[in-house]
Amino acid sequence: MLTGAVPTTSGPVLGAEQAGVRVFKGVPFAVARRFAKATPPRAWTEPRRCTDYGAYAPQPGHLDHADEDSCLSLNIWAPAAVDRPLPVLFFIHGGAFVTGGGADYDGGFLAAHGPAVIVTINYRLGPLGFLQLHRHGLDEANNLAVSDALAALDWVRANIASFGGDPDAVTLSGQSAGASMAIALATLPQAKGKFIRALALSAPGRTITSADHADEVAARVLAELEMVRDPAAIAAVPLPQLFAAVERVGRRLADETDGGTVFGPVLDGTVIPREPRDVLADGELRDIPLWLGSCRDEMMMFLKSTPPAAMIRVTEQQVRAAFGDAGWERLAACYRATARADEDPYEALLSDAFWHRPMADLARLHAAAGGAVWLSRFDHRPALEPFLSQGPTHGADNACLWAHLPDFIDRPILRRKGGPMTPADIDVAARFQASVLRFVATGMPDVAEAWPRFEPGKEPLAIFGQPFHIVPLNQGKRFGLWAELTERSHREAVA
């Protein structure tokens, strides 16, 4: 059944009503020419039917379903019967900055059970969103994906009240690459006052890319396309040719990057003027409640890929560079000696180094500056591939967050099918969803007695498993050895 027309700043839109939830898909929030800043879409006067997802952002495997000129759309799920403005979850998808889209996340179940208004967005990916060409004559081509997300946030600020949402109660959230985007976005002056809380799931260890690295990527892509002397010509390169060139450059560059990925938000000094860690440390977000989460076996998916992802080698190299070969061997021995029966100690060491410890460091910075922060780890193995064979690896929490209990949902862009959930899946997912919705509504994922906030000297880590429980992060042999090696490294650096 179609909804009534809902006004927006561009024109009225029609959605569909399903099981008490109004759904608006493929709502344009901006348009953009290649390597240019996003601008508002052309206004319309007749009600626009928004019942199907918009075009995918161009990406490997989906260039035939993509439209680079009109991929900037968002999707909204809003309860049909509301008597007050509802809190809003603004979600940025992951995909290593090169794949994904809002169509992989059906927010109908979360909207109904909040109640809340759920928004998922598209943003430009790969070279179209992250190739930094502003120093090569294309003046607008810097941090375009971040600017896209800002444009979507602005659209929500201006329009979400028409859908029953509270523009003054927006939670900025994302998973994986989307978590990096959310963290970067949260620290920008341009986003100030447009959200009141932030949730980041499985953000990589490095949430920001250096300008030097971005310049190197751009130079190599231009050289690969033989356009060094005419960089502007890249704006007319056919998409398959552009993405093939980027893939070739990416394979050669992956081992040279901090995170094993070629793209990401860039510390360019303009769109992103400061390192997000420094903004947190200075207390500029102390009034923003923050939830940082990760999965227990984050690195298993990347370890099992063929060949293993570049971040595996990069992470080991970084630990060896920080603590020396002897320090690495001590860590490896400690993880072997303390491994669970079902644990791969090498994977556990890498997961701590690349995912868990950087998130804990961000939590410490925010807490030390006076901010409210909660830290979690998802230990449940969903009965769905790849988790059945790889455990609670990267994305396990995300699969449960977006599940429509008692079923996991299909992911059309990732080409992953959903399926029925086990009783354990339902139990853990229901607890996780309830915590997220409570955070969106109140700024706290649970009552303080059940899940205390992360504070200096007190570092509770919430474990989503059976049962849900709290463990101290700053205890145990592994934590002690990391602390010893880190302190020694700091002493040697200042000596």
Side-chain angles (χ1 to χ4, degrees):
M1 180 177 71
L2 287 178
T3 66
V6 176
T8 76
T9 49
S10 297
V13 296
L14 300 171
E17 185 171 333
Q18 304 167 357
V21 174
R22 296 179 301 153
V23 185
F24 303 83
K25 297 178 179 178
V27 181
F29 67 82
V31 293
R33 295 178 292 105
R34 187 186 295 186
F35 301 130
K37 297 285 188 187
T39 58
R42 179 176 295 179
W44 59 87
T45 56
E46 292 298 315
R48 180 176 185 137
R49 185 168 179 146
C50 294
T51 55
D52 296 305
Y53 289 116
Y56 299 165
Q59 57 193 278
H62 287 292
L63 293 180
D64 53 340
H65 292 97
D67 185 336
E68 64 174 303
D69 295 324
S70 59
C71 65
L72 299 181
S73 65
L74 51 77
N75 314 296
I76 303 166
W77 290 264
V82 296
D83 58 2
R84 67 189 190 282
L86 295 177
V88 179
L89 177 68
F90 178 96
F91 182 79
I92 306 173
H93 71 82
F97 308 106
V98 295
T99 63
D104 264 355
Y105 305 92
D106 186 316
F109 190 86
L110 290 175
H113 286 75
V117 175
I118 311 298
V119 178
T120 69
I121 72 167
N122 286 355
Y123 55 96
R124 281 174 284 181
L125 300 168
L128 303 179
F130 295 96
L131 197 59
Q132 300 288 99
L133 295 167
H134 60 295
R135 296 183 184 176
H136 297 271
L138 285 82
D139 295 340
E140 295 187 17
N142 64 309
N143 272 316
L144 291 175
V146 176
S147 296
D148 293 346
L150 276 168
L153 192 61
D154 287 339
W155 190 97
V156 167
R157 176 75 178 171
N159 292 286
I160 206 65
S162 297
F163 298 86
D166 185 347
D168 294 320
V170 174
T171 295
L172 185 58
S173 68
Q175 185 265 344
S176 190
S180 291
M181 292 277 286
I183 291 171
L185 211 61
T187 63
L188 301 186
Q190 306 94 302
K192 188 175 180 61
K194 298 171 185 176
F195 70 101
I196 61 170
R197 348 185 199 278
L199 165 63
L201 300 176
S202 297
R206 289 286 298 176
T207 61
I208 207 79
T209 297
S210 73
D212 288 344
H213 167 70
D215 287 344
E216 176 72 8
V217 171
R220 292 203 190 188
V221 170
L222 289 170
E224 186 73 19
L225 291 168
E226 299 181 350
M227 293 180 176
V228 173
R229 294 186 177 182
D230 185 17
I234 195 173
V237 172
L239 283 180
Q241 183 181 345
L242 175 61
F243 275 79
V246 167
E247 183 180 3
R248 292 192 297 271
V249 170
R251 285 198 299 267
R252 295 194 291 267
L253 264 177
D255 287 345
E256 303 174 25
T257 65
D258 286 342
T261 56
V262 173
F263 293 120
V266 179
L267 187 63
D268 63 353
T270 52
V271 178
I272 303 179
R274 299 182 63 201
E275 166 69 53
R277 290 174 56 88
D278 295 339
V279 178
L280 285 173
D282 287 349
E284 293 184 26
L285 293 183
R286 66 168 57 92
D287 295 330
I288 303 296
L290 179 61
W291 175 357
L292 301 171
S294 58
C295 297
R296 189 190 69 192
D297 302 339
E298 288 278 5
M299 204 61 105
M300 187 61 74
M301 175 184 293
F302 306 98
L303 193 61
K304 294 294 185 182
S305 62
T306 305
M311 69 174 68
I312 300 294
R313 297 185 295 278
V314 169
T315 303
E316 179 175 338
Q317 291 166 1
Q318 289 174 340
V319 176
R320 288 182 182 273
F323 303 140
D325 291 342
W328 168 266
E329 295 302 334
R330 287 186 65 193
L331 282 167
C334 177
Y335 276 73
R336 289 192 296 270
T338 56
R340 304 182 315 272
D342 64 342
E343 184 177 52
D344 179 333
Y346 181 62
E347 182 279 329
L349 196 169
L350 295 175
S351 286
D352 279 353
F354 189 84
W355 304 92
H356 304 143
R357 289 179 52 78
M359 285 298 93
D361 287 343
L362 285 183
R364 292 186 184 104
L365 291 175
H366 196 53
V373 58
W374 290 264
L375 193 67
S376 70
R377 195 181 73 202
F378 199 86
D379 281 22
H380 175 68
R381 178 199 298 259
L384 179 75
E385 288 296 350
F387 315 111
L388 270 175
S389 57
Q390 297 181 2
T393 189
H394 190 65
D397 51 359
N398 210 34
C400 289
L401 173 59
W402 297 95
H404 287 204
L405 278 54
D407 296 296
F408 293 110
I409 63 170
D410 292 342
R411 308 283 291 281
I413 303 177
L414 277 179
R415 296 190 173 107
R416 288 184 187 170
K417 298 294 289 182
M421 304 173 78
T422 67
D425 291 334
I426 295 170
D427 176 63
V428 177
R431 182 70 168 77
F432 191 62
Q433 289 178 341
S435 293
V436 169
L437 291 170
R438 185 186 184 104
F439 183 74
V440 169
T442 70
M444 294 178 60
D446 209 325
V447 295
E449 294 77 14
W451 182 357
R453 58 192 270 187
F454 193 97
E455 296 182 298
K458 298 179 181 179
E459 301 190 346
L461 174 68
I463 304 296
F464 282 92
Q466 283 192 302
F468 172 85
H469 60 287
I470 306 293
V471 299
L473 180 66
N474 55 354
Q475 293 182 16
K477 293 182 179 179
R478 294 179 180 182
F479 177 87
L481 181 54
W482 279 105
E484 175 194 334
L485 292 172
T486 301
E487 176 60 26
R488 178 180 298 176
S489 177
H490 286 168
R491 288 200 307 268
E492 292 173 351
V494 300

